[in-house]
């Protein structure tokens, strides 16, 4: 029997899961159901609202305890966190940094802030993130590995680092990527902006990179309004991260002495207070999102031409954004589906425009990106808020 694809059938399946009376169902909205009001009010009552205060310290401690990473430095947003991560591993102007073409623009922008050049690499159908096997085969052809690093034979530039992004919360194959980094003398910097609450082989993301970056934007699983964090298991880098993000000011009771160019990137206490309350509920948020997966799977069980993306076998994902994957033969229906869903009050969106298609990055080096280009045509993100949990049990 020939498969048939119906946009209306997909929209109807979404309606089965989503609140029937809601005029608009957002793609992802924060849930404030804990101590947010209490903690933020304390900041207002005491006047401790800026970048010094007990909630900043507590937020960093909670991040360390939850992720198992030894050092956490809270900053103003995820892009700032990634920028400092690249500085910490000594990315220099003119270096190349390997980043997925399928990512949010901040990943490439952070490279550009360092004066470095994004070098775009392909994705995996299994993870939606960077493909270590395809990357290794590509590097084997284009680089020279020398005592002073990895050098691109085609451009003459040093390739300093690789930045995998855990797409929609799904971890990339980190063991395989670590092997590639060791073989080609590359620094590993995890863009874990979307993967707070996600685990690779039982260990939280952010533990494989020499440094890693988190985001707490308003649409993330945990939010501080804005906000981000730098994670590292390297004590010296943890101290340097805090120093650089505090304008490189040498501690003193009254004197203003800065020993290098620093950045005013520290997270305000009032934002950290919000984050502390959110982190208290993170396990519940993850459980609800994984329960929402079951509801979507049941609703789409009989829908032809589309599938709900599932975490790779080696991972436990936070399912930050639930993802529909259209069959390749029906990829041309993507925009019609987006129009129909949004017209029905169901916010849905495509994947990001691939980085090499953006005007400022069109001339950057890149490998064959056929999988990323395929995924760009096929991905539709659907409502994923933790308050949509439907009590269908644990995934």
């Amino acid at each position: 029997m020939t498969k048939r694809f119906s946009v209306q059938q997909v929209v109807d399946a979404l309606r089965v899961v989503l609140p029937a009376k809601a005029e608009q169902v957002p793609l992802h909205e924060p849930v404030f159901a804990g101590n947010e009001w209490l903690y933020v009010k304390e900041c207002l009552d005491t006047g401790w609202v800026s970048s010094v205060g007990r909630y900043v310290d507590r937020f960093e401690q909670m991040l360390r305890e939850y992720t198992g990473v030894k050092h956490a430095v809270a900053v103003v947003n995820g892009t700032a966190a990634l920028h400092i991560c690249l500085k910490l591993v000594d990315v220099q102007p003119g270096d190349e940094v390997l980043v997925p073409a399928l990512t949010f623009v901040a990943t490439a922008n952070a490279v550009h802030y360092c004066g470095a050049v994004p070098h775009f690499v392909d994705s995996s159908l299994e993870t939606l993130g960077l493909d270590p096997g395809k990357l290794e085969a590509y590097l084997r052809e284009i680089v020279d590995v020398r005592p002073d690093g990895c050098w691109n034979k085609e451009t003459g530039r040093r390739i300093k680092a690789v930045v995998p992004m855990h797409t929609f919360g799904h971890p990339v194959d980190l063991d395989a990527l670590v092997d590639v980094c060791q073989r080609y003398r590359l620094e590993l910097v995890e863009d874990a902006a979307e993967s707070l609450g996600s685990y690779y082989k039982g260990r939280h993301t952010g533990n494989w990179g020499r440094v890693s970056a988190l985001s707490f934007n308003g649409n993330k699983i945990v939010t501080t309004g804005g906000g981000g964090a730098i994670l590292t298991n390297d004590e010296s880098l943890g101290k340097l991260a805090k120093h650089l993000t505090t304008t490189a000011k040498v501690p003193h009771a009254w004197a203003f002495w800065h020993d290098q160019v620093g950045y005013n990137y520290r997270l305000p206490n009032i934002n950290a207070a919000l984050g502390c309350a959110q982190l208290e509920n993170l396990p519940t948020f993850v459980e609800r999102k994984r329960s929402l997966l079951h509801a979507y799977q049941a609703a789409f069980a009989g829908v032809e031409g589309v599938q709900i993306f599932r975490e790779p076998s080696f991972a436990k994902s936070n399912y930050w954004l639930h993802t529909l994957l259209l069959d390749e033969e029906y990829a041309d229906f993507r925009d019609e589906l987006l129009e129909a869903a949004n017209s029905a009050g169901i916010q849905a969106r495509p994947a990001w425009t691939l980085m090499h298609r953006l005007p400022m990055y069109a001339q950057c080096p890149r490998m064959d990106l056929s999988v990323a280009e395929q995924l760009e045509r096929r991905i539709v993100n659907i409502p994923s808020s933790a308050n949509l949990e439907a009590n269908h049990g644990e995934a």
Side-chain angles (χ1 to χ4, degrees), residues 28-211:
H28 197 287
E29 63 180 350
V31 177
F32 301 122
N35 290 313
E36 288 87 355
W37 281 101
L38 178 65
Y39 294 168
V40 170
K41 185 176 186 301
E42 180 183 329
C43 294
L44 297 175
D45 289 343
T46 61
W48 290 98
V49 297
S50 194
S51 58
V52 176
R54 76 182 188 95
Y55 281 112
V56 176
D57 294 338
R58 181 182 171 193
F59 186 56
E60 292 173 339
Q61 179 182 349
M62 292 176 74
L63 287 172
R64 292 193 299 269
E65 291 173 351
Y66 187 89
T67 64
V69 176
K70 294 178 181 177
H71 303 277
V73 178
V75 295
V76 292
N77 56 56
T79 311
L82 192 54
H83 178 205
I84 295 300
C85 283
L86 294 170
K87 301 284 286 186
L88 291 170
V89 299
D90 195 35
V91 170
Q92 294 291 320
D95 284 344
E96 293 180 9
V97 177
L98 301 163
V99 299
L102 180 63
T103 188
F104 181 57
V105 71
T107 313
N109 284 348
V111 174
H112 186 76
Y113 297 163
C114 295
V117 179
H119 187 148
F120 299 119
V121 299
D122 206 10
S123 298
S124 162
L125 290 173
E126 183 184 14
T127 67
L128 307 181
L130 186 152
D131 185 332
K134 191 170 181 180
L135 175 62
E136 198 280 333
Y138 176 64
L139 292 175
R140 193 185 311 132
E141 296 296 323
I142 71 154
V143 305
D144 280 329
V145 180
R146 310 173 191 167
D148 60 346
C150 180
W151 293 84
N152 188 331
K153 293 186 290 187
E154 298 175 358
T155 66
R157 292 187 289 252
R158 178 178 68 162
I159 304 178
K160 178 61 177 176
V162 57
V163 184
M165 195 273 289
H166 302 303
T167 310
F168 310 139
H170 303 295
V172 304
D173 188 347
L174 285 161
D175 283 342
L177 187 55
V178 167
D179 288 343
V180 173
C181 290
Q182 292 174 345
R183 191 173 303 120
Y184 290 93
R185 302 176 65 89
L186 299 169
E187 297 283 7
L188 177 57
V189 176
E190 284 180 71
D191 183 347
E194 300 174 0
S195 67
L196 182 64
S198 296
Y199 292 81
Y200 174 82
K201 296 184 178 179
R203 194 179 185 197
H204 198 282
T205 56
N207 275 283
W208 278 260
R210 191 170 175 210
V211 284

Side-chain angles (χ1 to χ4, degrees), residues 371-393:
V371 175
E373 290 167 349
Q374 178 194 145
L375 288 170
E376 181 188 33
R377 295 191 302 269
R378 297 173 57 198
I379 285 173
V380 174
N381 290 124
I382 55 177
S384 305
S385 305
N387 59 3
L388 297 175
E389 180 266 339
N391 296 316
H392 283 259

